């Protein structure tokens, strides 16, 4: 080993950085989850109390439910639109493809804070753009930011807007890896465009779809900035926009329960792990 | 060796001519934008030639940055500005110098007693030196009040709307006159906060014990807020949102009880209504909302110099100056009679609002907050919003809130 030290030195920055910014915080948060700490004073051992409190905490379960609902509201339309966009971008008749790809990817590099402010103006109860449109065609206004589903729709639409292009680009890469000969063979056998879409495109895209579902799940479970900027630290009216990470943030950094916040973090880790396994099973099973 | 001892001995010896050895004391000050006037800081550097002052304007989440620094126990400033969340730091009082030990007691009588006490922990340690305060008053639209047949002169308003019931009755008149297009006030949290801020009692006793949700203060604040919702007097415009600004600017809200710093917020939110607003004493009594403090951290090596600087920065004269430059309301009542506090303001139709807030500031009740005040208060105002915006059953929400607060106190 010693004679290869130059190589180990060369690869060491990653491990050092990972140990400092990855491993240590993970270990520390586990330690913290069993303690009571206001962030400044002394830590006191608290056993499993943080976890017990979490499991009996209605607000935590509401946050889990909200996160799950927002994830459904956003992921299904998002992946559906992404697939259609990717299919169109892949079609031979489309010109200026690079321009479109960049265009669809643009929302992903826009600051979420800016996005949330714009969507806040769109969905505002009074003087919001959507309500202005509804009123101008004679429909009654919707109190988007007061209704539990309205807040969730507003947050979900931000997620859809931001991530559709990203997923479309991934689907496009998947589409381009499907051999053209398969489509030609299907054509010769007399298959219609729809048949070849469902019989060739979708099955061949299976691993890519699995990838996007898993990343969307992890991203969806970690949703934070969108609701925080849109509805504030308390999750808006009736805490309808309170997601798990927002709850974790509020309990730790606003209410100073750092130990409890760490426990919530570990709870979220378990939920994400469970969810990813379920997703994996579902997507695998459906297409095989 | 002897040489070194002589030099160092010389520099630590107090009472010597400082300019002779030219040794400067370095002090770091953390503050946020508009909490201290930058010109005043520049003058402090001239005033204290022996201090090398590094004043850092901390942006973003000031509280989180301070707490992270305190937790890390390194890179702490010598002097730090604290907002009205000062009570959250009371359990960590050992991280701050007791300002009484540095001579704060000598000037205690120059400041408002209730404000001074907010910087003193239950153990009698003074960790926060008074900066500005937030006495509250009623902001109202003179034109709308007049149109609705209500008193519109500030003194008449003060006299006739002296209770929350009288104020609510005025709200019903406004509702009737404008057919529900103009609301008496902005949101349910404002009403609850202001009724609560007028009382000497909050949620906790100085020994830390919980007074209980059935205390007359909490019940009165809650019931008043719920009554305002049930009578349809709330515009449901939350503070710090574009919706609030729009509601103010479009004349949808006829009045609200707010702290003195709302003058600035209102002027920026509702430029089109300039000249139409007035300020009267708040219904139900005077209260305080907000205000800041300066603290000296235990890690500072030069607490005495830091204290002299703090004392000078927040001297009554300098507080008066900052009232003129930054609208920071003084906590030193000695300057309340200064002509600068009585200047007429065009936004308020030429009314001098300073004396209204000065009167209010002197009547604020002493109140003990306790370090868990923010979390309990937040639970309650959050649930009140469910009543206001989602038409939740008030009785049901009350029961839930009592349960939620009890759970909160158990952890």
């Amino acid at each position: 080993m010693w004679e290869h030290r130059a190589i180990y030195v060369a690869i060491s920055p990653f491990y050092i950085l990972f140990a400092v910014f990855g491993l240590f915080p993970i270990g520390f948060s586990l330690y913290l989850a069993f303690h009571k700490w206001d962030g400044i004073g002394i830590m006191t051992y608290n056993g499993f109390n943080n976890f017990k409190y979490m499991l009996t905490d209605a607000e935590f379960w509401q946050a889990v439910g909200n996160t799950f609902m927002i994830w459904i509201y956003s992921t299904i339309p998002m992946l559906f639109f992404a697939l259609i966009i990717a299919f169109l971008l892949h079609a031979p008749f489309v010109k200026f493809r690079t321009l479109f790809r960049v265009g669809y990817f643009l929302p992903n590099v826009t600051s979420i804070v800016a996005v949330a402010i714009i969507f806040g103006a769109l969905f505002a109860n009074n003087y919001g753009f959507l309500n202005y449109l509804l009123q101008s065609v004679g429909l009654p206004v919707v109190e988007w930011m007061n209704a539990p589903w309205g807040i969730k729709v507003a947050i979900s639409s931000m997620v859809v807007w931001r991530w559709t292009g990203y997923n479309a680009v991934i689907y496009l890469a998947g589409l381009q890896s499907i051999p053209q000969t398969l489509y030609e063979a299907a054509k010769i056998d007399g298959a219609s465009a729809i048949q070849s879409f469902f019989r060739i495109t979708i099955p061949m895209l299976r691993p890519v779809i699995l990838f996007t579902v898993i990343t969307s799940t992890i991203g969806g479970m970690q949703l934070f900035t969108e609701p925080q900027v849109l509805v504030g630290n308390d999750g808006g009216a009736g805490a309808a926009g309170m997601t798990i990470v927002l709850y974790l943030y509020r309990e730790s950094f606003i209410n100073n329960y750092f130990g409890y916040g760490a426990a919530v973090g570990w709870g979220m880790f378990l939920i994400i792990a469970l969810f990813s396994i379920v997703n994996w099973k579902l997507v695998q099973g459906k297409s095989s | 060796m002897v040489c070194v001892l002589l030099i160092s001995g010389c520099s630590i010896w107090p009472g010597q001519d400082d300019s002779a050895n030219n040794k400067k004391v370095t002090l770091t000050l953390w503050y946020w934008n508009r909490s201290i006037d930058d010109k005043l800081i520049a003058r402090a550097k001239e005033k204290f030639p022996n201090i090398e002052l590094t004043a850092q304007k901390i942006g973003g989440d000031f509280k989180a940055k301070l707490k992270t620094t305190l937790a890390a126990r390194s890179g702490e400033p010598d002097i730090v500005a604290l907002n009205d969340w000062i009570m959250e730091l009371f359990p960590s009082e050992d991280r701050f110098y007791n300002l009484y030990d540095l001579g704060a007691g000598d000037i205690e009588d120059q400041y408002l007693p209730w404000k001074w006490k907010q910087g003193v922990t239950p153990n009698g340690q003074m960790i926060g030196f008074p900066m500005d305060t937030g006495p509250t008053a009623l902001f109202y639209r003179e034109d709308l009040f007049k149109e609705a047949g209500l008193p519109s002169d500030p003194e008449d308003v003060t006299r006739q709307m002296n209770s929350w019931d009288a104020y609510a009755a005025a709200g019903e008149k406004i509702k009737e006159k404008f057919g529900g297009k103009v609301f008496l006030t902005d949101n349910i949290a404002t009403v609850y906060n202001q009724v609560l801020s007028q009382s000497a009692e909050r949620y906790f006793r100085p020994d830390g014990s919980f007074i209980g949700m059935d205390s007359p203060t909490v019940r009165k604040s809650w019931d008043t807020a719920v009554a305002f919702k049930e009578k349809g007097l709330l515009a449901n415009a939350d503070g710090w949102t574009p919706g609030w600004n729009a509601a103010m600017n479009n004349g949808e809200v006829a009045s609200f009880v707010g702290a003195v710093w709302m003058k600035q917020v209102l002027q920026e939110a509702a430029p089109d209504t300039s000249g139409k607003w007035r300020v009267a004493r708040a219904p139900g009594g005077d209260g305080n909302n907000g205000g800041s403090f300066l603290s000296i951290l235990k890690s500072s090596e030069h607490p005495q110099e830091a204290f002299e600087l703090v004392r000078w920065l927040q001297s009554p004269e300098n507080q008066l100056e900052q009232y003129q430059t930054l609208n920071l309301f003084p906590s030193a009542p000695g300057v309340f009679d200064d002509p600068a506090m009585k200047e007429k303001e065009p936004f308020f139709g030429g009314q001098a609002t300073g004396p209204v807030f000065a009167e209010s500031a002197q009547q604020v009740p002493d109140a003990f907050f306790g370090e868990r005040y923010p979390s309990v208060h937040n639970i309650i105002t959050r649930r009140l919003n469910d009543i206001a915006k989602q038409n939740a059953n008030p009785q049901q929400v009350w029961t839930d809130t009592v349960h939620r607060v009890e759970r909160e106190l158990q952890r």
Side-chain angles (χ1 to χ4, degrees):
Chain A
M1 178 183 164
W2 192 240
E3 62 269 29
H4 299 303
R5 64 184 181 276
I7 294 163
Y8 283 100
V9 167
I11 61 166
S12 66
F14 169 76
Y15 291 97
I16 293 168
L17 288 175
F18 178 72
V20 174
F21 294 105
L23 213 55
F24 171 73
I26 292 170
F28 184 65
S29 75
L30 189 62
Y31 174 78
L32 204 54
F34 291 95
H35 288 77
K36 196 175 175 173
W37 190 41
D38 68 355
I40 304 170
I42 38 165
M43 281 185 211
T44 46
Y45 180 70
N46 203 14
F48 280 94
N49 281 343
N50 287 331
F51 292 98
K52 275 185 205 153
Y53 191 89
M54 179 174 81
L55 291 176
T56 54
D57 188 2
E59 291 193 334
F60 170 74
W61 290 111
Q62 192 194 356
V64 172
N66 286 343
T67 311
F68 185 73
M69 291 310 291
I70 293 169
W71 175 76
I72 290 181
Y73 285 1
S74 59
T75 306
I76 293 171
M78 174 176 81
L79 296 184
F80 177 73
F81 292 143
L83 200 56
I84 292 176
I85 290 168
F87 196 69
L88 289 176
L89 282 179
H90 190 55
F93 58 85
V94 175
K95 290 194 173 104
F96 310 114
R97 271 183 226 190
T98 320
L99 188 73
F100 281 115
R101 275 177 228 171
V102 172
Y104 280 115
F105 201 73
L106 216 52
N108 197 250
V109 291
T110 315
S111 155
I112 320 175
V113 175
V115 175
I117 289 168
I118 298 291
F119 274 71
L122 287 180
F123 282 96
N125 293 333
N126 305 318
Y127 317 109
F129 185 66
L130 284 181
N131 277 344
Y132 168 78
L133 286 184
L134 287 175
Q135 268 180 319
S136 59
V137 295
L139 290 168
V141 298
V142 178
E143 299 235 302
W144 297 100
M145 301 315 282
N146 285 355
W149 63 271
I151 292 177
K152 293 189 180 81
V153 166
I155 296 169
S156 304
S157 62
M158 259 190 281
V159 178
V160 171
W161 190 81
R162 184 153 187 256
W163 292 101
T164 301
Y166 173 87
N167 286 300
V169 171
I170 291 173
Y171 283 151
L172 185 63
L175 285 174
Q176 283 168 343
S177 70
I178 301 173
Q180 208 54 38
T181 49
L182 286 175
Y183 290 105
E184 282 160 14
K187 216 171 187 177
I188 290 163
D189 288 346
S192 68
I194 291 167
Q195 275 173 324
S196 48
F197 178 78
F198 283 104
R199 299 286 171 88
I200 300 170
T201 312
I202 296 289
M204 293 298 282
L205 272 184
R206 199 179 61 193
V208 183
I209 292 173
L210 178 68
F211 172 78
T212 57
V213 168
I214 301 259
T215 51
S216 312
T217 306
I218 295 170
M221 293 296 122
Q222 293 179 337
L223 201 62
F224 169 70
T225 319
E226 286 92 342
Q228 208 248 355
V229 179
L230 191 69
V231 292
N233 290 331
D234 292 320
M242 174 67 78
T243 61
I244 306 174
V245 185
L246 187 54
Y247 182 67
L248 185 159
Y249 172 80
R250 191 191 72 190
E251 291 301 302
S252 307
F253 296 98
I254 308 292
N255 293 344
N256 306 322
Y257 295 115
F258 283 88
Y260 182 61
V264 172
W266 281 94
M268 188 176 78
F269 167 75
L270 285 180
I271 292 170
I272 292 179
L274 205 72
F275 239 63
S276 300
I277 293 167
V278 170
N279 269 323
W280 187 62
K281 290 274 177 208
L282 278 178
V283 178
Q284 286 284 49
K286 203 186 288 171
S287 46
S288 58
Chain B
M1 186 65 197
V2 175
C3 184
V4 171
L5 279 176
L6 274 176
I7 294 164
S8 61
C10 183
S11 63
I12 58 165
W13 193 254
Q16 294 282 317
D17 186 3
D18 275 320
S19 57
N21 56 47
N22 214 10
K23 175 98 174 146
K24 275 194 168 190
V25 166
T26 304
L27 290 179
T28 319
L29 163 70
W30 278 14
Y31 67 118
W32 58 87
N33 198 21
R34 300 184 59 84
S35 62
I36 303 175
D37 190 3
D38 295 336
K39 283 190 216 105
L40 187 67
I41 287 173
R43 267 178 42 216
K45 290 177 183 171
E46 290 166 24
K47 169 88 183 162
F48 295 94
N50 61 321
I51 294 174
E52 178 78 45
L53 179 63
T54 317
Q56 296 175 337
K57 212 179 263 183
I58 307 293
D61 193 342
F62 186 90
K63 185 169 106 176
K65 281 181 188 168
L66 173 64
K67 287 190 170 177
T68 318
T69 309
L70 283 172
R73 289 179 185 267
S74 80
E76 293 164 59
D78 296 273
I79 307 168
V80 65
L82 306 175
N83 215 327
D84 58 350
W85 35 261
I86 186 169
M87 64 285 211
E88 286 178 41
L89 295 167
F90 283 0
S92 309
E93 60 187 3
D94 59 322
R95 304 293 301 277
F96 298 89
Y97 274 102
N98 182 356
L99 302 179
Y100 278 133
D101 293 345
L102 301 173
D106 300 345
I107 43 172
E108 186 165 352
D109 57 356
Q110 294 178 12
Y111 296 87
L112 293 164
W114 59 266
K115 170 76 182 180
W116 187 275
K117 281 178 198 157
Q118 283 183 8
V120 180
T121 69
N123 297 332
Q125 299 244 14
M126 182 184 176
I127 68 166
F129 194 91
M131 292 174 80
D132 62 311
T133 64
T136 58
L138 177 71
F139 292 76
Y140 70 95
R141 283 279 298 269
E142 195 233 9
D143 54 332
L144 298 179
F145 269 36
K146 200 179 261 172
E147 235 181 301
L150 293 166
S152 56
D153 180 68
E155 285 187 12
D156 294 339
V157 172
T158 300
R159 207 174 312 117
Q160 292 189 37
M161 277 176 225
N162 57 358
S163 72
W164 286 96
D165 287 341
Y167 180 52
E172 304 222 54
K173 272 195 174 171
I174 286 173
K175 198 171 93 177
E176 217 170 277
K177 171 74 190 171
F178 297 99
K181 288 204 161 46
V182 178
F183 296 93
L184 176 65
T185 194
D186 51 359
N187 61 62
I188 198 163
T190 305
V191 178
Y192 178 82
N193 284 337
Q194 296 306 335
V195 183
L196 191 74
S197 82
Q198 294 166 353
S199 156
E201 200 184 44
R202 295 292 190 275
Y203 309 112
F204 298 95
R205 298 185 189 91
D207 65 4
S209 63
F210 182 54
I211 291 170
M213 290 290 285
D214 270 318
S215 82
T217 305
V218 176
R219 276 312 313 217
K220 188 186 169 208
S221 310
W222 177 280
D223 292 342
T224 309
V226 171
F228 269 58
K229 142 76 185 160
E230 284 176 345
K231 288 176 181 162
L233 307 178
L234 306 171
N236 277 345
D238 286 334
W240 315 109
T241 65
W244 190 89
N245 296 355
M248 291 297 159
N249 206 25
N250 295 349
E252 251 184 65
V253 174
S255 68
F256 62 91
V257 180
V260 59
W261 42 262
M262 288 303 284
K263 284 204 300 192
Q264 186 89 18
V265 177
L266 185 62
Q267 288 181 37
E268 281 161 17
D272 297 353
T273 59
S274 177
K276 294 176 179 165
W277 291 89
R278 299 287 183 279
V279 175
R281 298 282 287 284
D286 301 299
N288 178 71
N289 188 357
S292 357
F293 300 86
L294 280 175
S295 291
I296 301 171
L297 288 164
K298 222 20 178 299
S299 55
S300 172
E301 287 168 18
H302 310 287
Q304 202 59 54
E305 286 87 349
F307 180 72
E308 291 313 318
L309 180 69
V310 165
R311 183 178 159 161
W312 181 81
L313 281 174
Q314 298 304 328
S315 69
E317 303 78 56
N318 284 332
Q319 285 200 353
L320 180 68
E321 191 186 311
Q322 297 198 82
Y323 174 73
Q324 291 164 280
T325 53
L326 293 182
N327 245 325
L328 296 170
F329 202 82
S331 51
V335 301
F336 285 177
D337 282 329
D338 193 276
M341 298 282 294
K342 295 174 180 166
E343 263 170 36
K344 293 186 159 80
E345 291 152 76
F347 187 84
F348 295 95
Q351 186 194 357
T353 65
V356 181
F357 289 106
E359 275 293 311
S360 169
Q362 294 177 77
Q363 308 291 330
V364 173
D366 265 339
F368 177 77
F369 286 86
E371 73 254 20
R372 304 191 91 161
Y373 172 87
S375 54
V376 170
H377 187 69
N378 184 254
I379 290 172
I380 298 172
T381 48
R382 202 156 84 209
R383 302 313 303 274
L384 276 169
N385 266 316
D386 294 355
I387 298 176
K389 294 182 182 163
Q390 301 186 314
N391 295 315
N393 179 310
Q395 196 49 51
Q396 182 63 43
V397 174
W398 171 259
T399 316
D400 285 354
T401 308
V402 171
H403 177 72
R404 183 76 190 83
V405 168
E406 275 165 6
R407 255 180 77 82
E408 173 71 21
L409 294 173
Q410 277 162 16
R411 50 173 168 169

